[in-house]
Amino acid sequence: MARGFSFVWRSPGRDHLARELFVIGVVAVLLLVAPSFLSEFRLNQLGKFLTFAVVAIGIDLLWGYTGMLSLGQGVFFGLGGYAMAMYLKLEASGDELPDFMSWSGLDALPWFWEPFRHAWFALPAAVILPGLLAFGFGYVLFRSQVTGVYFSIVTQALALILSTFFVGQQAYTGGTNGLTNYFTLFGSSLSSPSMQRALYFASVAALAATYLLARLVTASRFGRLMVAVRDDEERVRFSGYNVALIKAVVFAVAAAMAGVAGALFVPQVGIISPANLGVVPSIEMVLWVAIGGRGTLYGAAAGAVLIGWARSYFSETYPETWLYLFGGLFIGSVVLFPGGVVRLFGQLRAFWEGRRGVPTRGGGTSEAVSTASEAAPGGVP
């Protein structure tokens, strides 16, 4: 327990933990056997949606648990993607310049591209560079006590600035078209079924590792500090804690998770462009968490997969009107289910148990409500 201030925190009850483990086990089995019943196209789609889930978990740590709404997570997703794409592009080009550099009039590879010839540099860079940028940028902001809506605006401005910058650097970033036309990874064809399955399982492993890390963090003393910062930042600061450092660390962890997702996204989709760094995808990432359930790690991941699937379904089934339907889904979800889909299920369960006369803990609301989220904003269950 952190010294000098008081806040309520309770680990999930035994019944809730058992339910969570059961659901996670079922999902894990389904993900592992998915290649046996999904087509290559659908498997590739699912792998892409799982990378979105990794981003969503990071945003949930940042927003749901620490109370910082970032509208610029697309920046870190894009940086991780560009790091991977630079390696893939150089592998595809061999000893020649990448095609877009030749078209732009360059006659030598830029110095900062050289290290990305090596996987041992490119892969860690996809995680470390977003994390370092977020930590440095965030620490400066938090030291200046930039919080709330001002933090959201600044992160949104960062997304706008970097996406515009990448568009303007045609010779070095591929400009509006981004980086594409790469065909191999570690010498194996990206289009081969075996490689696509390997990338899919890598996405499953990344999601599992991200979720486990997030659960360990939120159940730790540092996790309780995160919730305390969200609920009463001034009280935490007056208790002697370095709030700026706590928030910067969480921001960096969320950014690193986004970088991992971007690095896995690129070889499965085949392109990364400045559009992935922009404001619109960053806002959509926040909506994944809002619709799934802010403050619930599994809800955030489920929201990302659900929205990815809905986008795909509507665009395939209603190609002329899918944007309106998709927008309606967003608006309806936020208006009708402000707590997210996961909390809706918890509330329905509590209602059903109440109708059946199931005893509730402490004579109050049902455990299903009190544990519907790990850290419901505004108070910890």
Side-chain angles (χ1 to χ4, degrees):
M1 178 67 68
R3 69 181 187 279
F5 59 88
S6 163
F7 57 90
V8 180
W9 184 87
R10 182 169 59 241
S11 61
R14 222 177 257 178
D15 291 343
H16 173 68
L17 182 60
R19 288 196 299 270
E20 182 179 351
L21 291 175
F22 174 76
V23 171
I24 291 174
V26 171
V27 171
V29 170
L30 290 175
L31 291 178
L32 291 175
V33 302
S36 64
F37 60 84
L38 290 180
S39 66
E40 290 182 18
F41 174 73
R42 295 301 178 192
L43 188 68
N44 178 266
Q45 274 193 324
L46 181 56
K48 179 178 71 173
F49 299 157
L50 294 182
T51 66
F52 295 162
V54 172
V55 181
I57 289 175
I59 294 175
D60 200 28
L61 286 177
L62 188 65
W63 183 32
Y65 283 85
T66 320
M68 298 182 289
L69 176 58
S70 170
L71 297 179
Q73 291 304 102
V75 168
F76 310 115
F77 178 84
L79 289 177
Y82 266 94
M84 173 61 82
M86 290 166 73
Y87 169 74
L88 295 175
K89 193 68 176 176
L90 291 175
E91 183 177 15
S93 302
D95 295 331
E96 299 179 358
L97 274 181
D99 47 15
F100 68 90
M101 291 185 182
S102 300
W103 301 335
S104 301
L106 294 184
D107 54 11
L109 190 70
W111 64 268
F112 57 87
W113 269 74
E114 281 291 347
F116 289 92
R117 288 189 182 276
H118 311 287
W120 57 262
F121 180 87
L123 297 183
V127 182
I128 295 172
L129 290 180
L132 287 178
L133 174 62
F135 183 84
F137 182 71
Y139 191 72
V140 171
L141 290 179
F142 303 138
R143 283 275 294 181
S144 303
Q145 297 190 23
V146 175
T147 59
V149 67
Y150 300 104
F151 173 73
S152 301
I153 291 172
V154 171
T155 55
Q156 190 175 57
L158 177 66
L160 179 62
I161 291 169
L162 280 187
S163 61
T164 303
F165 175 77
F166 273 60
V167 168
Q169 301 300 310
Q170 168 71 37
Y172 305 106
T173 65
T176 305
N177 296 325
L179 301 181
T180 186
N181 292 330
Y182 26 78
F183 313 103
T184 61
L185 174 61
F186 307 139
S188 299
S189 172
L190 282 173
S191 60
S192 68
S194 60
M195 177 55 74
Q196 287 299 312
R197 282 194 298 271
L199 289 169
Y200 167 77
F201 283 121
S203 299
V204 173
L207 177 58
T210 301
Y211 182 82
L212 178 60
L213 175 62
R215 286 292 279 140
L216 291 174
V217 168
T218 55
S220 68
R221 180 180 178 182
F222 185 78
R224 298 195 288 274
L225 277 174
M226 289 163 52
V227 175
V229 167
R230 182 196 68 194
D231 291 343
D232 198 338
E233 180 177 329
E234 288 303 314
R235 197 170 181 182
V236 177
R237 181 177 290 108
F238 292 150
S239 299
Y241 289 96
N242 188 338
V243 172
L245 182 60
I246 294 171
K247 296 170 77 172
V249 168
V250 178
F251 195 22
V253 170
M257 290 178 176
V260 171
L264 287 168
F265 172 87
V266 165
Q268 295 183 83
V269 177
I271 186 173
I272 188 73
S273 72
N276 299 112
L277 284 79
V279 173
V280 173
S282 296
I283 293 175
E284 187 175 335
M285 290 172 182
V286 171
L287 288 172
W288 297 340
V289 179
I291 291 173
R294 174 187 169 197
T296 63
L297 297 174
Y298 45 84
V305 175
L306 174 65
I307 295 304
W309 174 84
R311 175 195 286 273
S312 176
Y313 173 78
F314 286 140
S315 62
E316 292 174 10
T317 310
Y318 309 101
E320 296 181 357
T321 59
W322 77 272
L323 281 174
Y324 301 103
L325 295 172
F326 194 59
L329 173 66
F330 274 144
I331 295 172
S333 299
V334 172
V335 171
L336 298 177
F337 315 123
V341 174
V342 169
R343 290 201 183 92
L344 174 65
F345 288 143
Q347 291 163 358
L348 290 175
R349 175 186 170 85
F351 175 77
W352 175 249
E353 289 184 348
R355 291 290 299 271
R356 293 171 56 199
V358 176
T360 58
R361 183 170 52 190
T365 57
S366 166
E367 182 182 3
V369 170
S370 66
T371 59
S373 74
E374 292 105 3
V380 187

